[in-house]
Amino acid sequence: MKTFLNSLLVLLFFIPSILLAQSTVSGTVTDKANALPLPGVNILVKGTSVGTTSDFDGNYTISAKSGDVIVFSYVGFKTQEITYNGQSKLNVTLTEDAAQLDEIVLIGYGSTTKQDATGAVEKISTEEFNKGAIVSPEQLLAGKSAGVRVTSNNGAPGGGSEIRIRGGASLSANNSPLIVVDGLPLDQRGVQGVRNQLNAINPNDIEDFVVLKDASATAIYGSRASNGVILITTKKGSANTPIKFEYDLKASSSQVNDYVDVLDATQFRAIAETDTNYNASLLGNSNTNWQKEIYQTAIGAIHNLTVSKGYENFNYRINYNHTSQQGVLTGDLYERNALNLSFVQRLLNNDLKLTLTTKGILDDNKYADNGAIGAAVAFDPTQSVYNADGTYFQYTGENLAPINPVFTLENNNNRARNKRNITNFNLDYKFWFLKELTFNLNAGIDYSELNGKQFNAARPTNSASFPYKNFYSGFNRNTLLDFYFNYKNNLELINAKIDLTAGHSYQEFFIKSKQTETETATTLVVRTPVINRNALESYFARVSFDIADKYLISASYRRDGSSRFGPKNRWSSFPGVSVGWKLTNEDFLKDSFFSSLKLRAGWGKTGQQEIGANYGYLGVYTPGRNDASVQIGDIFVNTLRPEEFDENLKWEETSQYNLALDFGFFNDRLTGTVDAYYRETEDLLATVPTPAGSNLSDLLTTNVGSVLSKGIELSLNGELAKSENFNWDLGVNVTLQENKITKLSLGNDPNFLIAQGGISGGVGNNIQLWREGLDPSTFYVFRQVYDNAGNPIEGAYVDVNGDNQITEADKQAYKKASPDVFAGLTNTLTYKNLDFSFTFRGSFGNYMYNNVASDRGNITTVNNAPGNYYPNAHVSVLSTNFNNQNLFSDLYLQRADFVKLDNISIGYLVPGEKITFRASLTATNVLTITKYDGLDPEISNGIDNNFYPRPQMYVLGLNFTF
């Protein structure tokens, strides 16, 4: 009996230990539909922070004790909870969740599913982004979406891009889309002192882009949506996920792979010797390629350190980013240090959701003097960079001569730091007494402070010049407060779902700029501060019906008021309506070869208020500068300059029609969309000449006419192969577009034109024009005459009007800079742990004006300089033998179709229990196929003149996740 009692006591003593003992359980997670392993499944012991994720083969290992509930969750699949009973092996199969697989898409002040969207809306997610050491977020999008054209402005590090959605809807007003980051619309004018305001958004921190293209989708944003809307959502982590640390490195090397074609020393000397006043002492004995002297191999590195964790009711994500990218132009440098935080808290049984995102950014720029590019093209190749004594070679005493570009880059200094914070707080509350009703409040601020200083050395060619100093500062403040109510319910009586939204928004923009600069050799002058303030107030509503899961109807309305217009024209209304028909949900198509088929149509009206001046409807006065004062007796009085104004200035309004077909085959392994649009802008805001004496300036921004754009967009996406070990995805998009001005003046003169497209050569010359019936980027040139051998005859042009003389009347509108067609192709292949992808982009029907050749491709450039020196010429002079400039000859208009291999990337994943490692190699700007013989066929305005070249970049990527 005693032995039994002792044994019982020992057993009772060990029972708690047995019950609390931790066991290791492992297994494989697979897809129930095809038995394929699922990598990246989140596996968490419920109510604890113990968790892991499945590896590439679906395998996992986790510690648990008997009775624990293990939660398996994966995007697109139903979450499964399993009680652990001590087994060492636990294999799990997850079932697809149809509701989750129908992708959620933001549409502005709400969301919808992809199958229920009735507007032209496209989502581009992380998996589809362009690869490489990408500094500017918009480059993630290039070539990825039909109707969206992203053209980098130049090759500068962190340089911005021109983004066009379905072409531009305006002429003088802003043609860029509205960018909304986590619910906060950014100021479309940008931020002071930065190369690109989007650089504040770390590309590694972006979850997805949603592009709203047609007016039925964008009308909810009213006054700023004529050029489309891009919604950027940043990463915020997920609930019920284990803690994860991630370090990502992108190390890059860039170099220029093409140069402007100028004469080498031998060719140059041969032309100089034909000068009737040839002076051999003005030439040197070198053979210097000045362009190679100013460009460097640029090194860059992008570091991202991220930690994230998700509990049942709370998740967070913290990211630190350091970016350092040299430019290929010596001395150019961009650096970013950013801390990105996001916190999501769910309360009251998930009825209340609080989301806070904040980004703190230090944006540092060292700007190289881009004037060195033009100087390198123009400089005498027989001269050395340095004199024998080590000083820079210069044309001392020749005021109009180019400055040694190496001297310029090494002695001119312009640095700026922008401290910026973008914070957004969102409250989403589901009312306890009516679960179908939700209240959403969004408060945001985008605040930045600029401090910069510039020093330019005195011009060494001019003994009377003095060093220039410039100290500049300022701040931008963009504040937002909006709210809306959303009601969603099933209306069983009519077998329909209703989604109703109504709300209010107020946004204010404030900009202040200060400057102190050199006015004389001994004085610094404080300029009058510039203050800029404007505001928008809006009321909006949208209602959507899904009837019988077949018929979709959506209507929106926005009433906007802008401080930029006078009281009579301050408010305007922007309606939109769209319909959809889910054809595959009809009985007659249920068993067809279509897996999905939807017909969509929409109309909407949007506005434009980005017209530059805030008070263009008022007569305002601008204080004059100290160096422009008026002497009254012995006193110098600063002037007040009256500015031009139009008291009837009003909204530019754009109406757009859209018709589309979305389709899918083979269980949606092949999907596509065909979109056709027709868009017309009326009350066009344009800067036009005014009759003498009719206003206070010879140019005035006013409402004068209309423009028309139309096009067809096609996108195809296919899963060409899908298996356990091999997957192949292919995406193609093609856009056909046409833009033209349909009215340009308040009169009826069909020949009225406005010259555009300033060029080098002469003073005030333009190579493009605006005229009714033409594309806004059309060139205006003389038609060149050629001899029987096909050589251009200098000064000989087609006499269009037959008056036996060549005058301005013989110029013709000819060709254009905008393409007729542009396209993108993305290919991704994975084999086990190896992945390979590339992206092509193409543009067709666009022309380029080679301004370097037209300006410098003549003998006079070398032999008739305005001083004692010989400048270099463009190599085209060897084939044309032109003596003088022929700036307006269509000889310099060249077809600029191109196909570019934008990037190509290969990577390998090494999965592990504790650490997952991925290495990748990426090349960008790899290959350009084109007949254009200038520097680059892709320059947005169609004028090639001293362009900062886009470099070819090679990137090594390393990623550690643990």
Side-chain angles (χ1 to χ4, degrees):
M1 185 67 179
K2 185 176 180 180
T3 303
F4 171 77
L5 290 174
N6 288 337
S7 300
L8 181 61
L9 288 172
V10 171
L11 179 62
L12 291 173
F13 178 80
F14 278 105
I15 282 177
S17 300
I18 295 171
L19 292 175
L20 294 174
Q22 294 281 339
S23 301
T24 298
V25 58
S26 61
T28 304
V29 186
T30 55
D31 182 348
K32 185 176 182 179
N34 52 28
L36 293 177
L38 291 174
V41 175
N42 292 313
I43 303 157
L44 187 74
V45 177
K46 191 172 184 179
T48 74
S49 60
V50 178
T52 186
T53 57
S54 60
D55 64 17
F56 188 81
D57 296 316
N59 298 320
Y60 75 94
T61 300
I62 193 170
S63 296
K65 62 181 184 292
S66 184
D68 279 347
V69 176
I70 304 177
V71 182
F72 297 82
S73 61
Y74 192 59
V75 175
F77 290 77
K78 293 180 179 178
T79 298
Q80 192 170 155
E81 296 186 1
I82 298 175
T83 301
Y84 175 60
N85 295 315
Q87 61 269 47
S88 61
K89 202 77 173 176
L90 182 60
N91 295 325
V92 177
T93 57
L94 296 184
T95 305
E96 289 184 348
D97 186 340
Q100 288 191 47
L101 289 174
D102 189 7
E103 191 175 29
I104 300 297
V105 180
L106 295 179
I107 53 174
Y109 306 108
S111 62
T112 186
T113 60
K114 189 174 181 179
Q115 71 164 352
D116 289 342
T118 53
V121 179
E122 185 169 5
K123 182 176 181 179
I124 298 95
S125 301
T126 309
E127 298 79 13
E128 304 164 77
F129 291 167
N130 286 317
K131 305 296 190 294
I134 292 177
V135 175
S136 303
E138 70 276 8
Q139 286 301 315
L140 297 170
L141 272 178
K144 299 299 181 180
S145 176
V148 180
R149 190 157 58 100
V150 180
T151 307
S152 60
N153 294 332
N154 52 45
S161 300
E162 179 186 89
I163 307 174
R164 293 292 179 265
I165 298 177
R166 296 185 167 179
S170 185
L171 291 180
S172 296
N174 194 316
N175 277 312
S176 298
L178 175 68
I179 309 290
V180 182
V181 179
D182 289 331
L184 174 64
L186 302 183
D187 191 339
Q188 290 178 278
R189 295 166 296 181
V191 172
Q192 300 176 80
V194 299
R195 301 177 195 254
N196 175 15
Q197 74 154 331
L198 289 183
N199 287 347
I201 314 301
N202 175 17
N204 186 266
D205 205 41
I206 294 176
E207 183 74 34
D208 57 56
F209 296 87
V210 174
V211 184
L212 311 182
K213 302 177 187 179
D214 73 329
S216 67
T218 62
I220 194 78
Y221 283 105
S223 63
R224 294 169 290 177
S226 288
N227 299 295
V229 179
I230 297 178
L231 309 177
I232 299 177
T233 301
T234 59
K235 297 174 182 176
K236 298 177 178 65
S238 303
N240 295 316
T241 54
I243 192 166
K244 182 171 76 171
F245 295 91
E246 181 179 1
Y247 171 69
D248 187 85
L249 168 68
K250 297 287 191 302
S252 63
S253 175
S254 310
Q255 53 272 325
V256 173
N257 58 359
D258 197 10
Y259 301 94
V260 176
D261 292 324
V262 294
L263 303 175
D264 62 26
T266 302
Q267 296 165 334
F268 174 79
R269 188 182 297 276
I271 290 180
E273 288 173 350
T274 66
D275 183 12
T276 55
N277 299 311
Y278 173 62
N279 184 348
S281 66
L282 297 179
L283 299 182
N285 299 311
S286 298
N287 186 5
T288 303
N289 185 327
W290 286 95
Q291 293 177 82
K292 289 187 176 181
E293 295 294 335
I294 65 170
Y295 295 123
Q296 64 179 355
T297 297
I299 304 301
I302 301 175
H303 303 268
N304 278 287
L305 182 61
T306 306
V307 58
S308 62
K309 172 125 178 67
Y311 300 92
E312 187 172 354
N313 294 312
F314 176 72
N315 51 272
Y316 67 86
R317 185 177 187 274
I318 301 172
N319 167 267
Y320 170 71
N321 169 254
H322 173 72
T323 297
S324 179
Q325 181 64 61
Q326 293 179 332
V328 288
L329 185 61
T330 300
D332 216 5
L333 178 65
Y334 170 76
E335 287 192 334
R336 173 178 61 216
N337 286 279
L339 184 62
N340 307 291
L341 310 175
S342 67
F343 304 95
V344 179
Q345 176 71 60
R346 287 164 292 277
L347 302 167
L348 306 178
N349 292 323
N350 290 331
D351 285 346
L352 176 62
K353 181 181 178 182
L354 305 176
T355 303
L356 175 68
T357 61
T358 184
K359 310 174 193 309
I361 307 103
L362 287 180
D363 195 292
D364 291 294
N365 287 281
K366 182 178 182 293
Y367 298 99
D369 192 328
N370 287 6
I373 297 174
V377 170
F379 221 87
D380 177 355
T382 68
Q383 304 294 350
S384 299
V385 176
Y386 302 100
N387 296 315
D389 61 0
T391 59
Y392 291 98
F393 172 82
Q394 301 285 5
Y395 294 113
T396 306
E398 300 293 339
N399 295 350
L400 299 178
I403 298 172
N404 185 321
V406 179
F407 169 88
T408 297
L409 293 175
E410 293 186 0
N411 287 274
N412 292 354
N413 196 331
N414 185 2
R415 294 176 179 267
R417 164 169 282 192
N418 188 286
K419 294 183 287 187
R420 189 173 179 185
N421 178 263
I422 302 175
T423 294
N424 202 75
F425 173 74
N426 182 271
L427 180 152
D428 191 85
Y429 178 60
K430 186 182 296 182
F431 287 93
W432 75 96
F433 58 86
L434 185 62
K435 293 296 184 180
E436 296 81 12
L437 181 64
T438 301
F439 173 74
N440 188 287
L441 181 141
N442 198 58
I445 184 169
D446 179 1
Y447 180 86
S448 67
E449 291 182 356
L450 167 69
N451 280 287
K453 53 187 177 181
Q454 179 183 4
F455 175 82
N456 287 357
R459 288 180 63 89
T461 58
N462 185 351
S463 59
S465 71
F466 49 85
Y468 174 73
K469 296 178 182 179
N470 179 25
F471 302 92
Y472 51 96
S473 62
F475 72 87
N476 293 57
R477 185 181 65 227
N478 166 12
T479 52
L480 168 79
L481 179 64
D482 62 39
F483 66 85
Y484 63 87
F485 291 89
N486 177 255
Y487 178 78
K488 292 181 180 179
N489 203 355
N490 294 322
L491 305 178
E492 296 181 1
L493 186 64
I494 59 173
N495 188 22
K497 297 177 183 177
I498 185 174
D499 186 338
L500 175 63
T501 298
H504 172 269
S505 177
Y506 181 82
Q507 191 165 14
E508 183 181 80
F509 305 93
F510 186 89
I511 303 173
K512 187 173 184 178
S513 304
K514 296 180 180 180
Q515 184 183 24
T516 301
E517 63 177 335
T518 303
E519 190 169 84
T520 68
T522 57
T523 59
L524 284 171
V525 176
V526 179
R527 301 300 181 194
T528 303
V530 177
I531 296 177
N532 188 308
R533 181 180 180 182
N534 68 288
L536 276 168
E537 185 172 14
S538 310
Y539 300 89
F540 56 87
R542 179 178 56 230
V543 60
S544 300
F545 292 94
D546 181 349
I547 302 171
D549 199 25
K550 298 177 183 178
Y551 315 111
L552 306 168
I553 303 173
S554 181
S556 66
Y557 177 82
R558 183 166 177 130
R559 180 75 171 164
D560 266 344
S562 171
S563 63
R564 285 179 165 163
F565 301 102
K568 293 181 181 179
N569 299 309
R570 181 155 295 163
W571 289 87
S572 192
S573 300
F574 304 99
V577 61
S578 57
V579 294
W581 184 12
K582 303 179 187 177
L583 290 162
T584 41
N585 288 358
E586 296 285 0
D587 291 338
F588 60 84
L589 276 179
K590 277 190 174 178
D591 297 320
S592 70
F593 52 85
F594 289 101
S595 53
S596 61
L597 185 65
K598 181 173 65 175
L599 183 65
R600 296 184 282 109
W603 168 86
K605 181 180 287 187
T606 52
Q608 171 72 273
Q609 56 103 42
E610 291 297 333
I611 57 177
N614 280 334
Y615 309 105
Y617 65 94
L618 282 176
V620 298
Y621 293 83
T622 301
R625 292 163 54 117
N626 293 339
D627 52 359
S629 55
V630 176
Q631 184 174 4
I632 302 176
D634 296 331
I635 301 174
F636 288 87
V637 180
N638 282 3
T639 61
L640 287 175
R641 183 180 69 252
E643 301 291 350
E644 71 279 4
F645 69 98
D646 177 6
E647 63 182 356
N648 296 314
L649 194 67
K650 60 182 179 179
W651 294 91
E652 180 179 282
E653 295 187 348
T654 299
S655 295
Q656 185 174 175
Y657 299 86
N658 199 82
L659 181 64
L661 186 70
D662 302 324
F663 55 87
F665 302 99
F666 315 117
N667 198 27
D668 278 358
R669 285 187 58 176
L670 176 63
T671 59
T673 297
V674 180
D675 260 291
Y677 67 90
Y678 179 95
R679 180 175 66 190
E680 187 168 15
T681 301
E682 297 179 338
D683 291 325
L684 184 73
L685 290 164
T687 303
V688 299
T690 58
S694 65
N695 214 295
L696 296 166
S697 172
D698 57 352
L699 294 173
L700 176 69
T701 299
T702 186
N703 303 91
V704 295
S706 58
V707 293
L708 171 69
S709 60
K710 53 187 177 180
I712 297 175
E713 301 164 355
L714 170 66
S715 63
L716 289 171
N717 295 281
E719 296 178 354
L720 303 186
K722 185 177 181 181
S723 67
E724 180 177 353
N725 292 325
F726 180 68
N727 293 279
W728 181 11
D729 296 329
L730 181 67
V732 180
N733 63 81
V734 180
T735 303
L736 293 81
Q737 65 174 13
E738 179 185 347
N739 303 305
K740 67 178 179 180
I741 301 168
T742 52
K743 187 179 179 182
L744 190 60
S745 68
L746 299 176
N748 296 311
D749 181 5
N751 295 316
F752 175 75
L753 64 87
I754 301 175
Q756 296 292 312
I759 58 173
S760 294
V763 178
N765 285 322
N766 295 278
I767 200 64
Q768 293 168 316
L769 82 163
W770 290 344
R771 180 191 282 169
E772 289 181 18
L774 299 177
D775 185 286
S777 66
T778 300
F779 296 100
Y780 195 42
V781 293
F782 293 118
R783 301 301 303 276
Q784 181 68 50
V785 174
Y786 299 83
D787 62 20
N788 292 333
N791 299 312
I793 302 172
E794 183 169 4
Y797 305 116
V798 175
D799 183 10
V800 175
N801 60 6
D803 63 356
N804 295 318
Q805 56 181 337
I806 301 299
T807 64
E808 284 288 309
D810 294 305
K811 278 187 179 179
Q812 287 187 288
Y814 183 64
K815 303 303 182 183
K816 58 186 178 61
S818 61
D820 297 320
V821 180
F822 59 92
L825 182 149
T826 300
N827 189 87
T828 303
L829 299 101
T830 59
Y831 176 70
K832 293 187 177 180
N833 294 342
L834 182 70
D835 61 86
F836 174 71
S837 64
F838 58 81
T839 299
F840 277 98
R841 282 188 306 113
S843 180
F844 310 95
N846 48 299
Y847 279 73
M848 186 72 65
Y849 174 73
N850 192 334
N851 194 194
V852 182
S854 67
D855 179 30
R856 312 198 65 81
N858 57 84
I859 294 171
T860 298
T861 293
V862 179
N863 291 345
N864 194 25
N868 294 315
Y869 61 94
Y870 289 103
N872 203 357
H874 190 269
V875 74
S876 63
V877 68
L878 300 179
S879 58
T880 65
N881 291 313
F882 282 174
N883 281 301
N884 300 300
Q885 289 178 338
N886 290 262
L887 295 171
F888 298 100
S889 170
D890 70 350
L891 171 70
Y892 300 106
L893 270 186
Q894 299 177 22
R895 194 172 185 95
D897 296 350
F898 68 82
V899 173
K900 288 190 174 185
L901 178 54
D902 258 2
N903 65 73
I904 183 169
S905 180
I906 187 169
Y908 190 78
L909 180 72
V910 182
E913 288 188 12
K914 299 295 184 181
I915 298 179
T916 298
F917 168 70
R918 183 178 183 273
S920 64
L921 289 173
T922 305
T924 63
N925 194 23
V926 182
L927 173 69
T928 301
I929 303 171
T930 184
K931 290 185 177 180
Y932 177 63
D933 60 13
L935 187 64
D936 196 315
E938 190 180 20
I939 300 174
S940 59
N941 67 354
I943 300 173
D944 183 356
N945 183 29
N946 297 330
F947 183 71
Y948 191 133
R950 298 183 179 99
Q952 193 171 75
M953 181 182 288
Y954 300 93
V955 183
L956 170 65
L958 301 175
N959 181 279
F960 301 86
T961 302
F962 48 93

